Amino acid sequence: MTEPLVQLEQVTVEFDGRPVVDRVSLKAGRGDIITIIGPNGAGKTTLIKAILGIQKVHQGKVSLATGLVIGYVPQQLLLEATLPLSVRRFMLLSGQPLDECEAALKRTGVHHLLDASVHHLSGGEKQRLLLARALARKPDLLVLDEPAQGVDINGQAALYQLIRELRDDLDCGVIMISHDLHLVMAATDKVICLNQHVCCSGYPADISQDPAFIDTFGHQVADSLAVYHHHHNHSHNLHGDVVSRTGAEGACNHDHH
């Protein structure tokens, strides 16, 4: 059996003696896309920080594969507004060679912005830049905290599709946090519903019917996910504009059942 990239065993993290992550176990290997969902304050980002090694674990164990390289994408890019910074310079600050940086920017669709100011990028462009910086490290595991933060709905769908493609190209594992329940159900292999502890976990098709999921998100959300199937007859470009299979821009036609 292949060694997991990361394994958490009964991990507990406490703030002021109160558990914000309570006895959480999970395992991710190459090819996995695991999405952590849950209400605000559920401990999702804290759990991610425990995986990254920047948050102390009070109980339990975090095990990483030998030589594991992690590419991390934070919720958003926070920079001093008065600091001039081009995309090229931002990528080079990662410590990776320019050719690796440029290859990563091409893969995420923002290489044409190489000399642009980071401050002038759209929300979708910034998230793709952060993803490119993570890719430049040639990661075994991508850890994404709300990767579609600040991106419109069409751009979100394109971004989640890109994440799946990168998983395939790199043969890496992916652990991500998301609030975009409808989109993420189509983009992930496994869902973990977190509310300090693991309320429920499983395949996207099954998770919406779990009583713990319904308790957390309500019947309305659960019922909408249960009947929601999203079929695209088109694609979206970097800016979220609809592009048909022939490449012409047009209306966004979704079929929902």
Side-chain angles (χ1 to χ4, degrees):
M1 185 174 180
T2 305
E3 179 189 16
L5 296 173
V6 60
Q7 183 167 358
L8 275 61
E9 301 172 76
Q10 297 290 300
V11 165
T12 295
V13 178
E14 299 177 352
F15 292 158
D16 298 323
R18 180 178 63 87
V20 294
V21 171
D22 189 13
R23 294 167 294 172
V24 171
S25 297
L26 68 82
K27 180 166 59 176
R30 291 191 182 277
D32 290 339
I33 299 181
I34 297 174
T35 301
I36 302 168
I37 63 174
N40 290 334
K44 301 183 297 294
T45 296
T46 299
L47 184 65
I48 289 291
K49 289 180 178 178
I51 293 171
L52 295 172
I54 57 178
Q55 173 61 57
K56 177 184 176 182
V57 171
H58 293 82
Q59 296 179 34
K61 183 180 180 183
V62 178
S63 302
L64 304 180
T66 304
L68 181 72
V69 176
I70 297 178
Y72 173 53
V73 177
Q75 280 190 24
Q76 54 188 318
L77 180 58
L78 298 175
L79 296 170
E80 171 56 51
T82 59
L83 177 68
L85 187 65
S86 69
V87 167
R88 183 197 307 271
R89 179 61 179 157
F90 177 78
M91 289 295 292
L92 288 174
L93 288 173
S94 69
Q96 303 304 311
L98 180 60
D99 59 339
E100 298 288 353
C101 292
E102 292 200 34
L105 290 168
K106 287 177 182 176
R107 186 64 190 85
T108 62
V110 287
H111 182 265
H112 63 291
L113 299 170
L114 191 63
D115 295 315
S117 168
V118 172
H119 299 290
H120 297 157
L121 303 183
S122 69
E125 289 165 346
K126 285 180 180 176
Q127 291 308 100
R128 286 172 179 260
L129 172 59
L130 288 171
L131 190 54
R133 184 179 66 170
L135 288 184
R137 304 192 68 221
K138 292 186 167 55
D140 304 297
L141 177 69
L142 277 172
V143 177
L144 316 172
D145 190 351
E146 293 282 0
Q149 181 87 6
V151 183
D152 67 30
I153 187 71
N154 293 332
Q156 289 173 21
L159 193 60
Y160 284 122
Q161 177 59 32
L162 174 61
I163 290 167
R164 289 189 68 86
E165 291 171 2
L166 293 172
R167 181 273 311 267
D168 295 339
D169 292 349
L170 299 172
D171 189 28
C172 66
V174 178
I175 298 176
M176 63 179 168
I177 293 172
S178 180
H179 283 108
D180 312 305
L181 296 184
H182 287 109
L183 287 170
V184 86
M185 288 298 183
T188 191
D189 300 320
K190 183 178 181 181
V191 177
I192 295 174
C193 181
L194 187 71
N195 196 358
Q196 278 79 58
H197 64 285
V198 175
C199 299
C200 55
S201 63
Y203 295 109
D206 302 328
I207 198 75
S208 62
Q209 298 306 298
D210 192 294
F213 181 92
I214 295 170
D215 286 344
T216 302
F217 292 101
H219 283 279
Q220 185 173 359
V221 170
D223 290 345
S224 70
L225 290 177
V227 299
Y228 187 98
H229 299 289
H230 195 167
H231 302 290
H232 281 80
N233 61 0
H234 60 273
S235 59
H236 299 280
N237 66 18
L238 173 64
H239 305 288
D241 300 320
V242 176
V243 180
S244 71
R245 295 194 185 280
T246 60
E249 294 187 4
C252 180
N253 297 316
H254 295 144
D255 298 321
H256 305 277
H257 304 292

